[in-house]
Amino acid sequence: MSQQKTHWIISGDLLIHAVIEGDSKATPLVLVHGYPDNLQVWDQVTQRLKDRYLIIRYDVRGAGKSDKPSKTNSYKLPLLAKDLEAVVNALIPGRGFHLIAHDWGSIQCWESVTGDTLKDRILSYTSISGPCLDHVGWWIRNAVSSANLSKLKRMADQLAHSWYVFMFQIPVVPEAIWRIGLDKYWPDYLKKHEEISDATYHSSQRDDGQYGVKLYRANFVSRLLNPRIRIARCPVQVIVPKRDAYVRPQLMDGLSSWVADLKILAIDAPHWAPITQPERVAQAVSQFVTEHS
């Protein structure tokens, strides 16, 4: 059993911070975090899986200890997919792996799961609270064109829960909110609204918040207005937290059209399930990995 090791990986002109732990000969799992988090969001899940698997985590660009580009265009989905490619090529060259992601990590990983570059290496994908933006774009088009009242209500419900996405399109303001103190308040928000009783402040929270906003600006509008055909190249498990305040279950409607081998698992949890339900998440991941190894 190996101890956690830190790696610095070159992706284009950026340095990506990654950690690896577990048995180097075991099946690799790559865990990708969301917004406004860093790789530490997976700490508790990692503790439950590292005795059986080789666990790889990294700070996505703009978060944690990884480089933080200032330009919005540096956060586009194809570049995020390049980061994943750089990480696995450096740490597990040529090997297949199982991909697990949460929130924005899930959104960005759909780019790789539906792309060509890693299609022969991604053995399965577990997505938590992060749909493919292209799939959402088609879902919205279908709801609008159908003129079906039920579909329109479900779409309106999701848009209402996505209020922050629209706010993040405003220049300067979201970053200013993080700089003037949201980072200090964030643990209290998680305790009060997300059931994370042991939430604590960490020094990268301000940067994680203000740079990560660029993920939304770089990708949401373009992908929702001009969705591409994106077919998953591997088995997919979608874990749906029933009490997610941001990603509603109806975003899974029609997902089987894009994923040939699909499993949807609902769990009793709020949005940050990797923190509030780490045992359940680890169990679901392990079972799915076993089924597709």
Side-chain angles (χ1 to χ4, degrees):
M1 183 65 63
S2 64
Q3 299 298 313
Q4 184 183 101
K5 295 181 179 179
T6 297
H7 296 265
W8 295 95
I9 295 158
I10 298 174
S11 180
D13 58 354
L14 302 183
L15 278 179
I16 301 297
H17 169 250
V19 297
I20 187 168
E21 53 198 303
D23 185 347
S24 62
K25 297 180 181 180
T27 300
L29 308 185
V30 179
L31 280 53
V32 187
H33 70 83
Y35 174 85
D37 304 317
N38 56 50
L39 62 77
Q40 292 177 335
V41 79
W42 291 110
D43 281 353
Q44 296 183 62
V45 173
T46 297
Q47 288 299 315
R48 289 163 169 80
L49 293 174
K50 67 179 183 178
D51 289 342
R52 289 169 285 163
Y53 302 102
L54 177 65
I55 308 296
I56 296 167
R57 297 179 283 162
Y58 66 98
D59 290 323
V60 304
R61 59 175 62 201
K65 297 178 182 178
S66 290
D67 282 348
K68 300 166 178 61
S70 59
K71 294 182 179 179
T72 298
N73 283 343
S74 296
Y75 292 81
K76 286 186 175 294
L77 287 169
L79 294 175
L80 299 172
K82 286 288 187 182
D83 292 344
L84 172 62
E85 184 182 351
V87 169
V88 297
N89 284 346
L91 299 183
I92 46 170
R95 294 175 66 180
F97 61 94
H98 297 268
L99 186 59
I100 300 95
H102 174 252
D103 187 79
W104 241 103
S106 292
I107 292 174
Q108 71 181 64
C109 283
W110 280 104
E111 188 74 7
S112 299
V113 168
T114 60
D116 291 331
T117 305
L118 294 173
K119 66 179 182 180
D120 296 324
R121 295 179 63 191
I122 301 176
L123 305 176
S124 76
Y125 178 42
T126 294
S127 170
I128 310 171
S129 295
C132 173
L133 294 185
D134 295 283
H135 296 167
V136 176
W138 289 112
W139 178 75
I140 292 173
R141 285 191 178 193
N142 177 262
V144 172
S145 63
S146 72
N148 180 285
L149 184 59
S150 176
K151 288 184 177 181
L152 290 171
K153 285 183 177 179
R154 290 166 70 80
M155 181 189 73
D157 176 71
Q158 175 57 62
L159 292 177
H161 283 83
S162 299
W163 59 269
Y164 57 94
V165 174
F166 304 104
M167 186 190 75
F168 288 169
Q169 305 306 314
I170 303 171
V172 181
V173 173
E175 291 92 331
I177 293 173
W178 280 106
R179 286 196 296 270
I180 64 176
L182 180 56
D183 59 321
K184 299 293 177 56
Y185 170 71
W186 190 246
D188 292 331
Y189 175 84
L190 294 177
K191 290 175 183 177
K192 183 177 180 180
H193 298 283
E194 294 296 330
E195 303 176 21
I196 304 176
S197 58
D198 59 348
T200 58
Y201 173 80
H202 61 82
S203 59
S204 73
Q205 187 64 73
R206 180 181 299 181
D207 282 349
D208 293 348
Q210 66 176 342
Y211 283 98
V213 167
K214 299 177 189 297
L215 294 165
Y216 293 82
R217 293 199 190 122
N219 299 290
F220 256 87
V221 174
S222 59
R223 289 280 58 85
L224 296 186
L225 293 179
N226 300 287
R228 304 160 296 172
I229 301 295
R230 305 297 285 181
I231 306 296
R233 306 303 187 99
C234 67
V236 174
Q237 171 177 231
V238 176
I239 298 177
V240 181
K242 295 178 183 179
R243 293 180 282 115
D244 196 320
Y246 317 100
V247 181
R248 306 302 294 155
Q250 55 262 38
L251 282 179
M252 303 306 106
D253 292 351
L255 187 56
S256 59
S257 298
W258 307 103
V259 182
D261 188 345
L262 174 64
K263 177 180 181 180
I264 297 180
L265 175 66
I267 64 173
D268 183 22
H271 180 76
W272 270 273
I275 297 177
T276 59
Q277 295 287 335
E279 185 67 40
R280 186 70 185 93
V281 170
Q283 180 187 48
V285 167
S286 183
Q287 181 176 343
F288 196 64
V289 166
T290 298
E291 292 171 357
H292 297 283
S293 293

